[in-house]
Amino acid sequence: MIELIFATNNAHKLEEVQAIVGKKFLLKSLADIDCMKIFLKQVLLFMRMQNRRQII
């Protein structure tokens, strides 16, 4: 089974699309992959890099 991330937090839309693609694919929502945690880590990393550039 192939896992795909479907860029939505709308559970009903996720169910609709899952019904269309069938059992060959397992759809995951942004909440399923804890998207905000990943996003915030990237933002913090970017901010640290920007601060280093300003110091140099």
Side-chain angles (χ1 to χ4, degrees), residues 24-40:
K24 185 175 180 179
F25 298 98
L26 172 64
L27 297 182
K28 292 190 172 192
S29 70
L30 296 174
D32 292 335
I33 64 164
D34 204 6
C35 184
M36 284 307 286
K37 185 177 180 181
I38 296 168
F39 175 73
L40 290 175

Side-chain angles (χ1 to χ4, degrees), residues 39-53:
F39 175 73
L40 290 175
K41 282 183 180 180
Q42 292 297 321
V43 168
L44 290 174
L45 177 63
F46 176 76
M47 291 172 66
R48 278 191 226 125
M49 291 173 64
Q50 291 298 81
N51 285 338
R52 286 184 190 151
R53 288 184 185 146

Side-chain angles (χ1 to χ4, degrees), residues 1-5 17-28:
M1 182 179 301
I2 299 170
E3 293 183 1
L4 296 174
I5 300 167
V17 175
Q18 183 68 66
I20 293 169
V21 299
K23 294 184 180 186
K24 185 175 180 179
F25 298 98
L26 172 64
L27 297 182
K28 292 190 172 192

